[in-house]
Amino acid sequence: VQLQASGGGLVQPGSSLRLSCAASGLTLDYYAVGWFRQAPGKEREAVSCISSAEDNVYSTESVKGRFTISRDKGKHTVHLEMSSLKPDDTAVYYCAVDRFRRGDYVCVLERDEYDYWGQGTQVTVSS
């Protein structure tokens, strides 16, 4: 299984970005998928996740109202729409799959619950 995160870049505060997560070796539609981020010198933290059943979504408090996770089942991808970006959002963003919650109505914002990880995409918010 390989996950590919893409869409990062250098943007100014207040800007928007759309990250994408694609997979080979499995179909993302059937699994809970999470987005995580790791800033320099900090631990990797959960950002948002989407459940495999009914696409229920959960987000960490700091991104609520600004970030939206969604699926494109036609393209078997998961996106993270980020708006009103702040310098504190600067980090490497990773997508990950929780294979044990296949068919579940919930997902969890716990790093250790995720089994497959992508290589990350850098998001830098700076003026």
Side-chain angles (χ1 to χ4, degrees):
V1 176
Q2 289 189 328
L3 301 181
Q4 178 77 37
S6 62
L10 171 62
V11 297
Q12 293 188 339
S15 297
S16 300
L17 273 177
R18 184 195 200 204
L19 305 184
S20 298
C21 179
S24 60
L26 58 77
T27 301
L28 287 179
D29 304 359
Y30 304 128
Y31 296 91
V33 177
W35 281 98
F36 296 77
R37 65 186 180 186
Q38 187 166 18
K42 295 186 177 181
E43 291 191 357
R44 192 172 299 187
E45 64 171 353
V47 176
S48 294
C49 68
I50 187 165
S51 68
S52 61
E54 295 191 350
D55 291 347
N56 294 312
V57 300
Y58 304 84
S59 295
T60 194
E61 199 63 36
S62 62
V63 306
K64 284 182 180 178
R66 300 190 299 123
F67 290 12
T68 302
I69 188 171
S70 64
R71 292 186 189 272
D72 182 339
K73 292 188 176 180
K75 295 183 179 180
H76 309 305
T77 54
V78 173
H79 300 293
L80 185 68
E81 301 272 2
M82 306 186 296
S83 62
S84 302
L85 282 162
K86 306 174 182 180
D88 284 350
D89 296 318
T90 295
V92 178
Y93 283 71
Y94 300 88
C95 61
V97 165
D98 176 356
R99 62 192 175 114
F100 288 107
R101 287 185 171 81
R102 178 171 178 164
D104 212 336
Y105 292 91
V106 299
C107 58
V108 293
L109 295 173
E110 294 289 341
R111 181 184 62 192
D112 292 344
E113 295 294 319
Y114 289 79
D115 313 285
Y116 302 123
W117 291 82
Q119 87 294 350
T121 184
Q122 176 70 47
V123 172
T124 303
V125 185
S126 175
S127 56

